[in-house]
Amino acid sequence: MKICIDPGHGGKDPGAVSEGIQEKDINLDIALKLVTKLIGAGHKVIMTRESDQFIPLHNRARLANDFDADIFISIHNNA
């Protein structure tokens, strides 16, 4: 299966912030753990971002579509 993992927010967009903890960092941490497990299970996986960078929403969708992803997983956490 081809899976696109989208760690929400990034770069100039921190998402929810509480006591100095930024959602973008939590999202990326979860995504990096998930991609390792999915690849280990034999899936083909790409991520919309692998570091703290801002990726516009339309670029995230284009990446998933160009990859012909079967599943698009967008990771977010609320305050």
Side-chain angles (χ1 to χ4, degrees):
M1 185 168 295
K2 296 173 80 174
I3 302 170
C4 180
I5 306 294
D6 176 40
H9 306 289
K12 66 182 181 180
D13 178 9
V17 178
S18 178
E19 298 180 18
I21 299 170
Q22 298 181 358
E23 179 187 358
K24 66 180 183 175
D25 297 328
I26 296 169
N27 296 344
L28 182 58
D29 185 54
I30 291 168
L32 290 170
K33 291 174 183 172
L34 178 59
V35 73
T36 299
K37 290 188 177 286
L38 291 171
I39 289 172
H43 300 288
K44 294 181 181 178
V45 184
I46 60 166
M47 293 178 56
T48 58
R49 67 181 184 96
E50 296 180 11
S51 64
D52 185 20
Q53 63 185 124
F54 177 76
I55 308 292
L57 292 178
H58 66 276
N59 288 2
R60 295 171 191 244
R62 181 179 308 127
L63 180 66
N65 288 332
D66 289 348
F67 183 60
D68 197 26
D70 298 303
I71 298 175
F72 182 87
I73 300 173
S74 184
I75 299 173
H76 286 268
N77 291 271
N78 292 327

